Amino acid sequence: MRSLYFITGNKGKFSEAKKKFSELNIDIVQKDFGYPEIQADSLKDVALYGVEYIQERFDKPFFLEDAGLFIDALNGFPGVYSAYIFYKISCSGILKLMDELGSNRRKACFRSVIAYKEPDREPDLFIGESYGVISKKPIGENGFGYDPIFIPEKGTKTFAQMETNEKNQFSHRGKSLNKLIDFFKNREIENFKNL
Ligand code: ITT
């Protein structure tokens, strides 16, 4: 079985990816490089910077992911700053900000950008989005980060009330991982054709 490295310090992200990849003959291995996350205008730029940094230090195929929560009423905040803001004010701080604003707009979107890199190949990017609303209070014990305050469209529960498989069906990461998995499946078909 082939190994594929997921460069992340986030165990929650890793277990979501591990579940998705269980359908392929690829073993996902977590590696925490503690790579620097630059302050950029887009998740894509943050991910590509991470790739630049890691490719100089690691010579095996890997992927990494940058994700963020974009809240309409806050003009897309915390967005690319999601990690820092979560560390500073967490879910309760976000809910307080929204209360202070007094707006009834609760729409938000989670975005995920996966960057896959192997030696001698440009990075491939895979994007996933999950639209939904911010709950009035934190609910649920599962998952991580902003999961207790995000209810995906067509859902009735927050991500934190879902098991990993269910979250993967709705989530930004589930969707970007689906694209990464399709990419591997298509390459296997191509390789088979070329035999
Ligand atoms: P990496 O090592 O992979 O960078 P991280 O936790 O720093 O891990 P990000 O920068 O991609 O990951 O995440 C930005 C923030 O958004 C961070 O606080 C996460 O907890 C949060 N977040 C990302 N994906 C999430 C998800 O699926 N559910 C809830 N919160 C999420």
Side-chain angles (χ1 to χ4, degrees):
M1 196 188 267
R2 270 193 297 155
S3 292
L4 175 62
Y5 291 85
F6 184 6
I7 312 289
T8 178
N10 185 319
K11 289 199 179 80
K13 283 186 180 185
F14 176 71
S15 57
E16 289 173 18
K18 189 98 183 161
K19 272 258 155 68
K20 292 272 338 161
F21 266 87
S22 56
E23 60 178 272
L24 280 192
N25 203 20
I26 296 178
D27 183 34
I28 300 291
V29 181
Q30 182 181 12
K31 197 160 174 64
D32 183 6
F33 250 100
Y35 66 91
E37 284 192 11
I38 49 157
Q39 288 305 344
D41 288 339
S42 72
L43 298 176
K44 189 178 139 197
D45 288 347
V46 178
L48 287 175
Y49 181 82
V51 167
E52 280 290 311
Y53 180 88
I54 286 154
Q55 71 180 355
E56 284 164 18
R57 295 160 174 84
F58 191 65
D59 63 355
K60 300 196 174 70
F62 67 85
F63 69 96
L64 53 79
E65 188 232 22
D66 198 48
L69 177 62
F70 297 75
I71 301 177
D72 280 16
L74 304 178
N75 290 328
F77 186 81
V80 288
Y81 308 109
S82 292
Y84 180 70
I85 295 301
F86 186 78
Y87 169 70
K88 283 287 182 193
I89 64 173
S90 85
C91 292
S92 56
I94 293 287
L95 293 179
K96 194 157 167 262
L97 271 182
M98 294 188 71
D99 280 351
E100 280 166 8
L101 211 70
S103 159
N104 285 328
R105 287 165 67 206
R106 310 296 297 186
K107 280 192 182 165
C109 178
F110 254 125
R111 298 203 167 91
S112 154
V113 175
I114 289 178
Y116 169 71
K117 179 77 178 83
E118 63 187 31
D120 304 321
R121 187 185 162 97
E122 289 298 306
D124 291 280
L125 295 176
F126 305 93
I127 295 167
E129 290 182 325
S130 173
Y131 287 90
V133 293
I134 300 297
S135 61
K136 297 271 182 199
K137 53 181 190 183
I139 316 171
E141 306 295 328
N142 299 336
F144 62 94
Y146 300 103
D147 280 344
I149 59 168
F150 186 81
I151 303 172
E153 226 170 31
K154 299 187 191 128
T156 51
K157 301 187 274 190
T158 65
F159 276 163
Q161 290 174 290
M162 299 180 185
E163 295 300 331
T164 305
N165 275 337
E166 192 180 2
K167 179 181 168 188
N168 273 343
Q169 282 171 32
F170 290 98
S171 79
H172 48 309
R173 185 165 305 102
K175 291 173 186 162
S176 55
L177 284 166
N178 276 342
K179 292 181 186 170
L180 178 65
I181 287 170
D182 282 348
F183 167 83
F184 283 118
K185 283 185 179 162
N186 288 335
R187 282 177 93 193
E188 254 161 46
I189 293 169
E190 284 305 310
N191 289 344
F192 187 69
K193 277 193 206 149
N194 291 334
L195 281 180

